[in-house]
Amino acid sequence: MKSWILVIALLLPLFCTAQNRGNIWCFGDSAGINFNNLNNPVPISTGLRTRGSCASIADTTGNLLFYANDRANFPGDYSTVIYNRWNNLMINGDSIVGEGWYNEIVIFPFPDNDSLYYLFSISTALGPGGLYYSIINMKADSGNGDVISKNNQLSPLSMTDCLNAVKHGNGRDWWVLARRYDGSNATSNNQFFSYLISPAGITNYQVQSV
């Protein structure tokens, strides 16, 4: 019993460190907040100019890595852009699927690989509609990142503004959840799509009616 208590005590700092990935929020019109000191959150400036979806991610010590938004000052179905930590457009970080509504972007690291990151995005449009992912390599461009693969389609079915990612119970993998859009009413369809993200890649596609 004592050995288990020791193991838990040793692992707790690791779990706490992992939580730092959400310490920097980037949103709205050039706005952001640094939550590394919860007793004294610090406003920061960003390169954002959007009323749509926003997402950001930090490293395990709470330093901003990159962020993204859709509705990026131009219309269309490829309006998502990615900025590096210096508020500059990341290499190949433009023309990514996303229309400009809400809960359309999520970012998280590859399981067991802190150099690569996924960005998932959705579209309700009939043409490029569906669920997509892009891959960011943070070792590229002297640590500022490069979008090495983008707009990979997982599903051609239109999705509505309910995209989310949930950490797997094993503490390593992720679940990506998306909700189908029926083309008329964003609240009438109850089909949810789930994908397992593991070191083996993107697998275990499921559809559930809730």
Side-chain angles (χ1 to χ4, degrees):
M1 183 66 178
K2 290 182 179 180
S3 61
W4 279 109
I5 293 174
L6 177 61
V7 169
I8 293 171
L10 290 173
L11 289 177
L12 277 175
L14 298 178
F15 296 139
C16 294
T17 300
Q19 294 173 356
N20 293 328
R21 289 195 176 277
N23 283 7
I24 309 293
W25 291 12
C26 303
F27 55 89
D29 183 354
S30 69
I33 302 178
N34 183 332
F35 285 101
N36 278 304
N37 183 350
L38 290 177
N39 294 319
N40 185 30
V42 178
I44 61 173
S45 296
T46 68
L48 295 179
R49 298 289 188 279
T50 182
R51 292 178 57 205
S53 297
C54 310
S56 53
I57 191 164
D59 62 21
T60 55
T61 60
N63 296 307
L64 180 64
L65 292 175
F66 64 93
Y67 56 96
N69 70 273
D70 56 21
R71 195 180 286 185
N73 288 331
F74 54 91
D77 303 316
Y78 294 89
S79 69
T80 297
V81 295
I82 302 176
Y83 298 90
N84 62 30
R85 57 182 172 162
W86 305 111
N87 304 321
N88 297 319
L89 185 68
M90 185 177 286
I91 296 175
N92 298 317
D94 62 337
S95 303
I96 296 171
V97 166
E99 295 173 50
W101 300 107
Y102 312 105
N103 299 105
E104 290 187 346
I105 305 171
V106 293
I107 300 170
F108 55 88
F110 269 50
D112 288 344
N113 189 331
D114 281 345
S115 298
L116 299 177
Y117 291 79
Y118 282 109
L119 182 146
F120 281 78
S121 57
I122 61 171
S123 172
T124 62
L126 297 178
L131 175 64
Y132 293 77
Y133 71 92
S134 300
I135 299 174
I136 296 93
N137 180 5
M138 286 308 299
K139 283 189 174 180
D141 190 27
S142 303
N144 293 316
D146 181 355
V147 183
I148 59 175
S149 177
K150 62 184 176 182
N151 296 332
N152 302 286
Q153 191 180 61
L154 282 176
S155 172
L157 299 173
S158 294
M159 300 291 174
T160 192
D161 312 339
C162 295
L163 183 64
N164 210 335
V166 181
K167 198 70 174 288
H168 194 287
N170 64 18
R172 180 197 65 189
D173 302 337
W174 293 84
W175 289 101
V176 170
L177 308 173
R179 184 181 183 187
R180 187 174 178 182
Y181 177 56
D182 67 5
S184 61
N185 188 327
T187 62
S188 64
N189 199 306
N190 67 347
Q191 280 191 321
F192 288 80
F193 294 70
S194 60
Y195 295 82
L196 176 64
I197 317 300
S198 71
I202 303 173
T203 58
N204 203 27
Y205 160 71
Q206 300 178 39
V207 181
Q208 293 177 288
S209 294
V210 180

